[in-house]
């Protein structure tokens, strides 16, 4: 894939959203080899891709970068003022897909790091989870519930 760099942010490809979705879809075939270890993450990723693809015609409308997609959702009133992202939203879905890929990369890096070491995949998964996801999930689950709109 030959994504061209964006002018405003040269280190981020302009087609970051489609590339991230493609990476997640490609990883689904690898994740299946891990059995139940990756099932929850795979199911979450499937839902996240559906959420992102609900954005109408992302490439034609210019929503193929996270910045453009976020600006589009903000313009629709999806997100709250002050940088509070709505959940569910395509922006949140992209964040969770990135976090899942970070966890998977950490796990795979650990698996191939020392070929002579005795490895428990479950143990390495716990370490990768602690490093990449645990603090985010704990803060996410401790967040106060969203206020209900008046009826």
């Amino acid at each position: 894939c030959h994504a061209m760099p964006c002018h405003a942010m040269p280190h981020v490809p302009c087609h970051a959203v489609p590339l991230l979705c493609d990476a997640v879809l490609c990883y689904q075939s690898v994740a299946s080899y891990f059995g139940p270890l990756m099932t929850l993450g795979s199911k979450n990723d499937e839902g996240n891709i559906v959420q992102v693809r609900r954005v109408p015609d992302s490439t034609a409308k210019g929503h193929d970068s996270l910045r453009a997609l976020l600006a589009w959702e903000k313009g629709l009133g999806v997100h709250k003022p002050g940088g509070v992202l709505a959940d569910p939203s395509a922006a949140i879905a992209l964040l969770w897909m990135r976090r899942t890929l970070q966890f998977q990369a950490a796990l795979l890096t650990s698996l191939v790091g020392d070929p002579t070491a005795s490895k428990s995949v479950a143990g390495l998964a716990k370490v990768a989870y602690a490093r990449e996801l645990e603090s985010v999930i704990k803060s996410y689950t401790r967040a106060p519930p969203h206020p209900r709109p008046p009826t």
Side-chain angles (χ1 to χ4, degrees):
C1 195
H2 304 293
M4 299 301 290
C6 289
H7 300 292
M9 298 171 53
H11 61 286
V12 177
C14 282
H15 306 305
V17 172
L19 288 175
L20 181 59
C21 289
D22 289 347
V24 169
L25 287 172
C26 288
Y27 189 79
Q28 294 295 323
S29 61
V30 175
S32 66
Y33 289 105
F34 287 91
L37 177 66
M38 298 294 193
T39 300
L40 180 59
S42 293
K43 292 296 180 194
N44 284 335
D45 285 340
E46 288 171 11
N48 288 331
I49 287 174
V50 168
Q51 186 72 30
V52 170
R53 291 194 170 160
R54 286 184 180 149
V55 175
D57 196 6
S58 65
T59 53
K61 300 270 187 201
H63 305 139
D64 58 347
S65 73
L66 179 54
R67 184 180 303 266
L69 187 137
L70 187 56
W72 179 77
E73 284 188 331
K74 187 177 175 186
L76 291 176
V78 171
H79 304 292
K80 296 177 184 175
V84 178
L85 298 179
D87 188 7
S89 70
I92 288 289
L94 288 168
L95 286 173
W96 280 109
M97 285 190 289
R98 181 186 58 83
R99 289 172 180 150
T100 300
L101 285 173
Q102 284 178 262
F103 162 75
Q104 294 163 345
L107 174 59
L108 292 173
T109 300
S110 297
L111 285 170
V112 298
D114 181 359
T116 62
S118 173
K119 299 173 184 169
S120 155
V121 175
L124 294 174
K126 286 178 184 177
V127 171
Y129 175 84
R131 187 171 59 232
E132 300 296 337
L133 294 173
E134 188 171 39
S135 65
V136 173
I137 289 174
K138 280 185 178 179
S139 67
Y140 191 76
T141 57
R142 283 191 303 235
H146 300 291
R148 294 179 183 245
T151 54

